[in-house]
């Protein structure tokens, strides 16, 4: 079973529209020959339509970093799935650890957002992962299992294959501390086993699970060579075109379609 790698850049709250256009252009210029890797750019809301214009007629896809679980209404400051689709988004990051930690997002809210995204035709990247405290207390598997099961509650087999799961150990995000390939693979394999139990092994084999946490050109290859690691969600290194392109090329180099 071969799953196309997916490399997504989460620009977080960085880049004005002008800076976003420049960064997207640099990435586009250097990735046009890459066909087997799904490349996703997730700029801030204010840059979505500008980046969409830059990447039209390329293989690069657009994603957003958050959305409301409501589709319309009096929800000041929120952005709906319909708006994101109309702005050109194919993907939506849901439940990033920064949203969970700073904006009170729970597994229940993540699940609601996931359902809205799937109903409205956006492809979710659902983030899961333990904090350092949880890892040190040997709770990694409990936390990840809870994120996966509660996040995917009520999601049917035909929909789960549209979901990308991003395993992002919180202690590795923005810290420069990457999980070792063994640590990452252990949790990725665990997530796939959970999917096999919840759905079946054929479905579990189709779901892409990407790793996130200080991914850089120097570590992408060893990570992506692992059996259950299907790509990366990249924060810091996606803000620099040269590093992000190297990460994409590293993933492309290690991928052999079967
Ligand atoms: C992220 O924001 O999802 C992330 C993994 O960040 P970084 O690559 O900077 O650790």
């Amino acid at each position: 079973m071969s799953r196309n790698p997916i490399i997504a850049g989460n620009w977080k709250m960085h880049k004005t529209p002008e800076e976003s256009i420049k960064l997207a252009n640099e990435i586009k210029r250097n990735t046009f020959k890459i066909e087997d890797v799904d490349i996703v750019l997730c700029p801030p809301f204010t840059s979505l339509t500008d980046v969409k214009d830059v990447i039209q007629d390329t293989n690069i896809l657009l994603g957003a970093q958050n959305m409301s679980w409501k589709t319309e209404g009096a929800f000041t400051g929120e952005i709906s799935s319909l708006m994101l689709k109309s702005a050109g988004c194919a993907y939506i990051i849901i439940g990033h650890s920064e949203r969970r930690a700073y904006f009170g997002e729970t597994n229940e809210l993540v699940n609601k957002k996931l359902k809205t995204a799937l109903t409205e035709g956006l492809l979710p990247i659902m983030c899961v992962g333990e904090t350092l405290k949880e890892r040190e207390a040997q709770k990694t598997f409990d936390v990840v299992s809870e994120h996966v099961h509660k996040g995917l509650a009520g999601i049917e087999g035909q929909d789960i294959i549209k979901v990308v799961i991003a395993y992002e150990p919180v202690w590795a995000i923005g810290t420069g501390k990457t999980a070792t390939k063994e640590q990452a693979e252990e949790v990725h394999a665990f997530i796939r086993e959970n999917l096999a139990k919840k759905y079946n092994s054929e479905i579990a084999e189709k779901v892409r699970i990407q790793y996130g946490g200080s991914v850089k050109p120097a570590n992408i290859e060893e990570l992506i060579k692992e059996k259950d690691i299907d790509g990366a969600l990249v924060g810091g290194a996606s803000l620099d075109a040269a590093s992000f392109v190297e990460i994409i090329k590293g993933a492309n180099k290690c991928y052999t379609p079967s």
Side-chain angles (χ1 to χ4, degrees), residues 8-12 14-29 31 39-65 84-91 238-239 244:
N10 173 15
W11 296 2
K12 310 193 186 191
H14 295 286
K15 307 287 175 191
T16 62
E18 295 73 20
E19 291 166 343
S20 298
I21 291 169
K22 186 166 175 279
L23 177 56
N25 264 311
E26 283 168 10
I27 294 167
K28 168 176 141 174
R29 263 199 303 279
T31 53
I39 306 167
V40 185
L41 304 183
C42 304
F45 293 135
T46 44
S47 296
L48 285 173
T49 51
D50 285 313
V51 172
K52 176 184 123 186
D53 290 344
V54 173
I55 62 178
Q56 66 179 340
D57 307 323
T58 72
N59 291 333
I60 304 174
L61 295 161
L62 192 66
Q65 301 171 21
L84 295 178
K85 276 195 73 182
S86 153
C89 290
Y91 282 90
S238 74
L239 297 172
F244 192 58

Side-chain angles (χ1 to χ4, degrees), residues 106-175:
T106 58
N107 287 321
E108 289 67 30
L109 185 61
V110 168
N111 179 248
K112 281 185 188 173
K113 290 186 178 194
L114 204 81
K115 285 177 174 158
T116 304
L118 289 166
T119 308
E120 301 299 320
L122 285 168
L123 301 169
I125 297 176
M126 182 180 83
C127 302
V128 303
E130 81 288 358
T131 62
L132 183 59
K133 206 167 156 210
E134 289 162 343
R135 176 163 279 264
E136 285 173 349
Q138 322 286 333
K139 287 191 180 148
T140 298
F141 294 110
D142 293 343
V143 172
V144 170
S145 164
E146 201 177 2
H147 283 178
V148 169
H149 285 282
K150 291 193 172 167
L152 297 178
I155 307 292
E156 302 295 334
Q158 75 272 15
D159 276 336
I160 178 63
I161 55 180
K162 298 178 195 153
V163 178
V164 174
I165 298 180
Y167 169 56
E168 298 210 301
V170 180
W171 48 271
I173 298 181
T175 57

